């Protein structure tokens, strides 16, 4: 009798658990028009002044339209702004806007809304507030047209309008108390608060009034933050999610499981040679020393053994899809330790010298390589331990002459602002050169047709003067299952929601 | 009994204050990079200073502690610096998740370890040896490794249980149970191994005592001796071990939540610690201390109820 009761209980339990297991495997069994993805980070905020690019773009891209967008070939295309044009001096950008678009609270999208959003972003304290700070004044021509008057030419502005700089929220929501948790945009989806648990699941349902529903094939989007790589891999392998970011170490395993690897080379890995003026280590002021460091690294072996060949060798900081990239420069510093030693000897450092570098647990796989390869040409590395969450502030503090870094690259002007000018945050020792200043001024004021050449001239100068020591551009790897197609973007490690579509 | 509980409550309150104070001093003394991490690489020194002032980080450490304690006493644990979520709301959302996992794991640990421990103690022989070997093996296997093996087998290969995530009980009881099977199993294997050994030892000790021999001499049935007398006396060490297991399982849940992407207190703690999200860290630490204190208090009271000798001591 007892055995029979126990068996019945076990059977009932198995049924309940089994039913749960089926419903738990969301992506595989739910409606075909639902996209479920795992995100590397939790959402930080829906406040338009706090939006981030990178992994967190996936949270806001369903709800906020941008003024411009990028197509699969990384070309800028109209979105809420139907046309854009600079004047001859490149200090006034004219924008023509789509009419009849409404935010999800019913407010009409117009030129005043654009102005309110750009002013709000510039006044904010978010990571991307700089994106609208080159705008001095706004001239509203009509509800569907406005002019942005710039303090000086800003070649990055139209790129920003396809990113956080162009994200449009209802003006009424910008100062609302719940702006961080309740997004009010004109995007293809609205946040479904009943299906959303902060830190666990973010659910989006279709915006019933959206003006371009056909461009977004999914009826429902579910984003699950999963900070652990193993959890993301298990989730996609078991069919719980349709897409997830991985790293190059897990790629082979994922492909064996039948997943598709979608790649884009956004980040470059290598050394930031920040002390170009020799303030901390006088040797680094000599271009021959910086070139010697470039020759000292066996980029090919590092790419093959650390990143499993997922990437391409480079000597440049610029994105291959941007204006500044020049393929011819990529073979400038092929591995040649003998030449490195010779250059060091010519510069008067035949016996080498010492540098101090931050040692971050996040880059542990590179530290031994750096020490060995620099040591082989006579440069001794002294490491200073830095906690993982302090590595960027430490590098930007200007305490170190050299640091290893993985830096994302977007448009050429954006990268220049990030790491090349005398005010750039990733130029913490504020190094500069009159010749470089001249090249930057030329690029800043160049008409659209001459911009690529001007940016390439900057790239050539940076490579010739060994301002950096990039080794290779590493692929960001985004996995998708058999039911999902993903078009990777050149400027972002994780694809936006518009980049996903169901496979036929 | 009331005096006993009162003394325990006073000790608990002191413990909460001391641990909260130490955590605050440790966590807030390392906040020099928070503004930079929040505002990003292009923030100017003025913006960094303004952010520090907004977060109250420009004030002396003791003043910050005073403000935090005053707000905490009014039930306001602050707002996450990195996600803007109120800390009390973040904890309220995640505490049931962790508790679901840990309470189930403790209950199963109690059931299985008592069963195995008593069987090993009473039967002895080959069964005892097998249970001991299994206990050592279970104790030696790290719970994250067990978790990964279970996921690969049951989720990836067989596809019968979800690999990640958590479903609220109110949403779907079946999915809730399914989501907890593997995480709870990962926790239970190690904790049962340890607890079963303790129960075995306690039961053997009790069965060797004089009063058990007297009971047997009076002709009381072996079943009655075991379940009515021996087990009651062996319960004290077993309860102590279970209370320790509860605390250990809360720690173990941090790793298990990570492996299964379960949005509980463990995941919240790890993310807050990595980012330097001090308000969240403080809220979680205080919550966990209170939780541990409550569990210990309950165990103390139950021990006193089961065995009056404990009350006298």
């Amino acid at each position: 009798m007892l055995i029979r009761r126990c068996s019945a209980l076990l059977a009932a339990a198995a049924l309940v658990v089994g039913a749960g297991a089926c419903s738990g495997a969301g992506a595989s069994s739910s409606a075909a028009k639902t996209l479920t993805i795992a995100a590397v980070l939790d959402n930080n905020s829906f406040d338009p002044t706090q939006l981030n690019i990178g992994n967190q773009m996936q949270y806001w891209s369903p709800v906020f339209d941008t003024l411009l967008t990028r197509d699969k070939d990384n070309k800028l295309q109209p979105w809420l702004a139907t046309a854009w044009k600079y004047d001859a001096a490149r200090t006034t950008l004219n924008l023509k806007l789509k009419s009849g678009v409404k935010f999800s609270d019913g407010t009409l999208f117009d030129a005043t809304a654009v102005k309110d959003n750009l002013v709000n972003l510039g006044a904010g304290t978010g990571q991307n507030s700089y994106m609208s700070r080159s705008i001095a004044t706004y001239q509203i021509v009509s509800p569907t047209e406005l002019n942005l008057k710039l303090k000086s030419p800003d070649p990055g502005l139209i790129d920003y309008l396809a990113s956080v700089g162009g994200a449009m929220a209802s003006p009424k929501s910008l100062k609302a108390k719940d702006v961080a948790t309740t997004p009010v945009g004109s995007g293809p989806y609205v946040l479904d608060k009943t299906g959303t648990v902060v830190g666990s699941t973010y659910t989006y349902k279709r915006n019933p009034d959206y003006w371009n529903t056909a461009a977004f094939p999914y009826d429902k989007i579910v984003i699950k933050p999963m900070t652990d790589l193993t959890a993301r891999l298990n989730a996609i392998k078991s069919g719980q999610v349709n897409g997830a970011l991985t790293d190059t170490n897990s790629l082979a395993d994922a492909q064996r499981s039948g997943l598709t690897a979608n790649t884009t080379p956004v980040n470059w890995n290598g050394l930031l040679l920040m002390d170009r003026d020799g303030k901390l280590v006088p040797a680094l002021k000599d271009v021959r020393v910086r070139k010697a460091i470039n020759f000292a690294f066996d980029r090919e072996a590092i790419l093959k053994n650390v990143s499993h060949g997922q990437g391409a060798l480079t000597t440049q900081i610029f994105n291959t899809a941007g204006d500044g990239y020049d393929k011819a420069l990529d073979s400038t510093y092929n591995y040649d330790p003998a030449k490195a030693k010779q250059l060091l000897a010519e510069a008067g450092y035949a016996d080498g010298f010492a540098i101090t570098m931050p040692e971050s647990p996040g880059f542990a796989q590179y530290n031994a390589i750096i020490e060995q390869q620099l040591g082989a040409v006579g440069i001794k590395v002294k490491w200073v331990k830095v906690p993982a969450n302090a590595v960027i502030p430490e590098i930007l503090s200007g305490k170190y002459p050299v640091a290893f870094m993985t830096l994302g690259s977007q448009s050429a002007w954006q990268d220049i602002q990030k790491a090349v000018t005398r005010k750039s945050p990733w130029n913490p020792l504020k190094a500069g050169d009159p010749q470089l200043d001249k090249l930057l001024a030329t690029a800043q004021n160049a008409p659209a047709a001459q911009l690529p050449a001007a940016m390439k001239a900057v790239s050539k100068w940076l490579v010739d003067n060994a301002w950096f020591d990039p080794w290779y551009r590493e692929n960001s790897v985004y996995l998708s299952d058999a039911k999902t197609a993903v078009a990777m973007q050149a400027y972002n490690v994780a694809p936006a929601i518009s980049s996903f579509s169901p496979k036929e | 009994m009331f005096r006993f509980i009162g003394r325990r409550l006073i000790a608990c309150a002191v413990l909460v204050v001391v641990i909260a104070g130490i955590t605050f001093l440790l966590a807030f003394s390392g906040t020099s990079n928070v503004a930079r991490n929040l505002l990003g690489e292009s923030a100017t020194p003025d913006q960094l200073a303004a952010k520090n002032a907004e977060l109250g980080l420009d004030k002396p450490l003791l003043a910050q502690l005073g403000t935090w304690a005053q707000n905490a006493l009014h039930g306001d644990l602050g707002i996450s610096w990195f996600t803007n979520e109120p800390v009390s709301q973040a904890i309220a959302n995640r505490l049931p998740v962790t508790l679901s996992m840990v309470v189930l794991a403790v209950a199963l640990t109690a059931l299985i370890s008592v069963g195995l421990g008593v069987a090993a103690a009473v039967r002895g022989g080959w069964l005892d040896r097998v249970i001991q070997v299994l206990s050592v093996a279970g104790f030696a296997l790290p719970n994250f490794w067990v978790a990964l093996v279970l996921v690969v087998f049951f989720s990836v290969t067989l596809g019968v249980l979800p690999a990640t995530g958590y479903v609220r009980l109110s949403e779907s009881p079946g999915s809730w149970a399914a989501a907890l099977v593997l995480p709870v199993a990962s926790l239970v294997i190690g904790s049962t191994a340890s607890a079963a050994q303790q129960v075995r030892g306690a039961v053997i000790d009790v069965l060797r005592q004089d009063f058990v021999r007297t009971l047997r001499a009076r002709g009381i049935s072996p079943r009655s001796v075991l379940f009515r007398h021996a087990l009651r006396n062996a319960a004290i060490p077993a309860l102590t071990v279970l209370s320790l297991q509860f605390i250990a399982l809360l720690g173990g849940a941090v790793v298990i939540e990570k492996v299964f992407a379960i949005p509980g207190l463990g995941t919240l703690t790890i993310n807050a610690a990595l980012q330097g999200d001090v308000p969240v860290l403080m809220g979680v630490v205080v919550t966990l201390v209170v939780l541990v204190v409550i569990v210990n208090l309950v165990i103390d009271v139950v021990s006193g109820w089961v065995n009056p000798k404990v009350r006298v001591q």
Side-chain angles (χ1 to χ4, degrees), chain A residues 268-284:
Chain A
W268 65 266
N269 292 356
L271 299 186
L272 295 162
L273 307 179
M274 298 173 286
D275 194 17
R276 296 125 189 166
D277 287 343
K279 289 176 184 167
L280 302 173
V281 178
L284 289 171

Side-chain angles (χ1 to χ4, degrees), chain A residues 370-382:
Chain A
I370 293 168
E371 193 169 327
Q372 185 269 322
Q373 303 242 278
L374 286 180
V377 299
I379 301 171
K380 196 171 178 328
V381 180
K382 187 182 161 202

Side-chain angles (χ1 to χ4, degrees), chain B residues 237-297:
Chain B
L239 278 173
T240 309
V241 169
L242 276 180
S243 74
L244 291 174
Q245 286 296 339
F246 183 90
I247 297 160
L249 287 172
L250 272 179
V254 172
V255 180
I256 294 302
E257 283 179 13
K258 197 90 177 140
V259 172
F260 289 98
I262 291 174
L265 278 187
T267 306
L268 189 68
T269 312
I270 290 179
N271 292 342
L274 289 176
Q275 290 177 314
D277 198 342
V278 180
V280 174
L281 209 53
M282 285 300 300
V284 172
V285 166
V286 169
T287 307
L288 288 178
V289 170
V290 170
L291 202 61
V292 169
V293 158
I294 290 173
V295 169
N296 281 335
L297 183 67

Side-chain angles (χ1 to χ4, degrees), chain A residues 16-25 41-45 47 50 56 122 124-130 133 180-181 194-201 224-228 230-235 237-238 240-241 257 388-394 396 407 418 425-426, chain B residues 30 32-34 36-44 47 50-51 54 82-86 89 93-94 148 151-152 155-156 159-168 171-179 181 257-261 263 267 270-277:
Chain A
V16 169
V17 168
C22 291
S23 58
L41 298 173
D42 192 3
N43 186 34
N44 61 323
S45 177
D47 180 346
Q50 304 296 322
Q56 288 169 328
T125 56
Q127 298 202 1
N128 295 299
S129 289
Y130 73 92
R133 287 200 182 130
T181 53
T194 56
T196 296
V197 180
V198 174
S200 168
T201 306
K224 293 171 176 285
M226 291 188 198
T227 52
D228 188 72
T230 310
R232 291 199 299 279
L233 281 172
N234 288 333
K237 281 185 197 171
S238 64
Q240 278 193 304
V241 299
S257 302
N389 67 353
V391 66
I392 290 177
E394 279 288 300
L396 301 187
L407 263 192
K418 192 193 289 182
W426 289 96
Chain B
S32 55
N33 293 317
V34 167
R36 170 66 74 188
N37 285 335
L38 280 168
L39 298 184
E41 57 204 36
S42 34
T44 62
Q47 288 169 329
K51 193 70 189 177
E54 181 191 323
F82 286 81
T83 64
N84 296 297
E85 190 183 13
Q89 184 185 310
N93 283 341
R94 289 158 177 86
L148 289 173
V151 170
V152 169
S155 304
V156 177
V160 294
L161 288 166
T164 61
Y166 176 79
V167 179
R168 282 171 289 183
E171 211 174 299
S172 163
S175 300
W176 173 81
V181 170
E257 283 179 13
K258 197 90 177 140
V259 172
F260 289 98
T267 306
I270 290 179
N271 292 342
L274 289 176
Q275 290 177 314
D277 198 342

Side-chain angles (χ1 to χ4, degrees), chain A residues 121-465:
Chain A
L121 178 66
T125 56
Q127 298 202 1
N128 295 299
S129 289
Y130 73 92
M131 288 187 173
S132 67
R133 287 200 182 130
S134 61
I135 305 168
T137 57
Y138 299 81
Q139 183 186 28
I140 295 176
V141 181
S142 74
T144 56
E145 185 177 355
L146 83 162
N147 291 318
L148 310 180
K149 303 269 188 187
L150 311 187
K151 294 167 190 164
S152 56
D154 180 359
L157 182 60
I158 53 171
D159 295 307
Y160 305 152
L161 297 184
S163 174
V164 171
M168 293 289 117
S170 167
K172 286 181 189 164
S173 73
L174 297 176
K175 300 295 175 201
K177 236 179 169 183
D178 59 351
V179 63
T181 53
T182 308
V184 185
S186 64
Y189 301 93
V190 290
L191 184 70
D192 177 7
K193 284 212 158 185
T194 56
T196 296
V197 180
V198 174
S200 168
T201 306
Y202 295 80
T203 304
Y204 303 82
K205 58 186 181 188
R206 273 198 189 278
N207 176 356
D209 301 323
Y210 194 56
W211 56 276
N212 192 9
T213 302
F216 295 86
Y218 294 101
D219 295 327
K220 185 176 162 188
I221 307 288
V222 180
I223 305 178
K224 293 171 176 285
M226 291 188 198
T227 52
D228 188 72
L229 172 62
T230 310
R232 291 199 299 279
L233 281 172
N234 288 333
I236 191 166
K237 281 185 197 171
S238 64
Q240 278 193 304
V241 299
N242 304 111
L245 193 78
T246 185
D247 65 8
T248 53
N249 292 325
S250 321
L251 183 57
D253 173 42
Q255 284 175 322
R256 275 197 299 274
S257 302
L259 300 169
T260 303
N262 310 278
T263 62
T264 184
V266 179
N267 299 332
W268 65 266
N269 292 356
L271 299 186
L272 295 162
L273 307 179
M274 298 173 286
D275 194 17
R276 296 125 189 166
D277 287 343
K279 289 176 184 167
L280 302 173
V281 178
L284 289 171
K285 192 175 180 183
D286 194 315
V287 66
R288 290 169 295 187
V289 171
R290 300 198 300 268
K291 283 185 176 181
I293 292 175
N294 269 268
F295 279 118
F297 285 96
D298 188 349
R299 295 170 163 80
E300 203 170 346
I302 303 171
L303 171 61
K304 185 180 166 195
N305 294 301
V306 179
S307 298
H308 307 275
Q310 281 297 316
L313 303 181
T314 191
T315 59
Q316 302 166 79
I317 63 166
F318 294 121
N319 193 301
T320 51
D323 286 336
Y325 179 72
D326 182 355
K327 192 170 171 50
L329 295 172
D330 272 347
S331 53
T332 310
Y333 298 112
N334 292 331
Y335 178 51
D336 192 344
K339 188 157 189 180
K341 281 184 185 169
Q342 183 197 331
L343 283 165
L344 285 173
E346 285 171 15
Y349 296 98
D351 296 330
F353 59 93
I355 54 172
T356 303
M357 291 180 66
E359 183 183 0
S360 164
F363 301 136
Q365 69 272 40
Y366 294 102
N367 293 345
I369 296 169
I370 293 168
E371 193 169 327
Q372 185 269 322
Q373 303 242 278
L374 286 180
V377 299
I379 301 171
K380 196 171 178 328
V381 180
K382 187 182 161 202
W383 296 100
V384 175
K385 286 196 187 300
V386 174
N389 67 353
V391 66
I392 290 177
E394 279 288 300
I395 293 174
L396 301 187
S397 70
K399 282 193 257 179
Y400 301 94
V402 178
F404 173 84
M405 196 61 207
T406 291
L407 263 192
S409 59
Q410 283 79 36
S411 70
W413 191 251
Q414 211 168 340
D415 291 341
I416 285 172
Q417 296 307 303
K418 192 193 289 182
V420 177
T421 75
R422 291 175 195 264
K423 290 181 181 171
S424 297
W426 289 96
N427 180 12
L429 289 160
K430 307 303 167 202
D433 184 280
Q435 207 181 342
L436 175 63
D437 293 341
K438 208 184 273 183
L439 288 170
L440 293 178
T442 305
Q444 184 176 6
N445 293 289
Q450 289 162 27
L451 194 61
M455 294 295 186
K456 283 184 176 65
V458 173
S459 187
K460 180 163 173 38
W461 190 94
L462 293 173
V463 173
D464 287 348
N465 286 276

Side-chain angles (χ1 to χ4, degrees), chain B:
Chain B
M1 182 59 111
F2 286 115
R3 189 180 291 176
F4 169 79
I5 294 173
R7 276 205 307 268
R8 284 283 190 271
L9 280 176
I10 292 167
C12 293
V14 172
L15 192 66
V16 170
V17 170
V18 169
I19 292 182
I22 292 172
T23 310
F24 188 94
L25 293 176
L26 286 174
F28 270 81
S29 57
T31 51
S32 55
N33 293 317
V34 167
R36 170 66 74 188
N37 285 335
L38 280 168
L39 298 184
E41 57 204 36
S42 34
T44 62
D46 288 346
Q47 288 169 329
L48 295 176
K51 193 70 189 177
N52 279 329
E54 181 191 323
L55 301 176
L57 297 174
D58 56 341
K59 295 184 184 129
L61 207 54
L62 283 177
Q64 292 179 47
L65 175 60
T67 311
W68 181 85
Q70 199 178 356
N71 292 337
L73 283 173
H74 287 91
D76 177 10
L77 292 171
I79 290 176
S80 161
W81 289 345
F82 286 81
T83 64
N84 296 297
E85 190 183 13
V87 174
S88 47
Q89 184 185 310
I91 292 171
N93 283 341
R94 289 158 177 86
L95 186 61
V97 180
T98 302
L99 281 185
S100 300
M101 207 163 67
V102 173
V103 169
L104 269 177
V106 169
L108 283 173
T109 301
L111 272 175
I112 300 170
S113 61
V114 167
L116 291 177
V118 170
V122 174
R123 292 283 173 96
W126 67 267
L127 184 64
D128 184 21
R129 284 193 290 278
V130 168
I131 288 172
Q132 286 207 59
V133 168
L134 287 177
S135 293
V136 171
F139 197 61
L141 297 174
N143 58 13
F144 70 87
W145 183 84
V146 172
L148 289 173
V149 171
L150 291 176
V151 170
V152 169
F153 186 69
F154 289 103
S155 304
V156 177
T157 309
L158 298 181
V160 294
L161 288 166
T164 61
Y166 176 79
V167 179
R168 282 171 289 183
L169 180 62
S170 56
E171 211 174 299
S172 163
S175 300
W176 173 81
L180 286 177
V181 170
L182 296 182
V184 169
S186 314
L187 289 170
V188 164
I189 288 174
S191 60
T192 300
S194 160
Q197 288 284 35
Q198 299 286 344
V199 173
R200 173 187 172 274
V203 172
I204 288 174
D205 279 351
V206 172
L207 289 177
R208 282 177 184 158
Q209 288 188 16
D210 292 344
F211 78 92
V212 173
R213 194 175 52 206
T214 309
L215 288 170
R216 281 177 182 149
R218 286 178 60 193
I220 308 283
S221 72
R223 183 181 289 243
S224 180
V225 169
L226 178 65
F227 289 106
R228 292 190 58 190
H229 302 280
L231 268 187
R232 186 165 180 168
N233 281 279
I236 308 295
L239 278 173
T240 309
V241 169
L242 276 180
S243 74
L244 291 174
Q245 286 296 339
F246 183 90
I247 297 160
L249 287 172
L250 272 179
V254 172
V255 180
I256 294 302
E257 283 179 13
K258 197 90 177 140
V259 172
F260 289 98
I262 291 174
L265 278 187
T267 306
L268 189 68
T269 312
I270 290 179
N271 292 342
L274 289 176
Q275 290 177 314
D277 198 342
V278 180
V280 174
L281 209 53
M282 285 300 300
V284 172
V285 166
V286 169
T287 307
L288 288 178
V289 170
V290 170
L291 202 61
V292 169
V293 158
I294 290 173
V295 169
N296 281 335
L297 183 67
V298 169
I299 295 290
D300 284 349
V301 171
V302 172
S303 300
W305 173 70
V306 171
N307 190 341
K309 279 190 288 183
V310 176
R311 262 178 278 165
V312 175
Q313 283 160 8

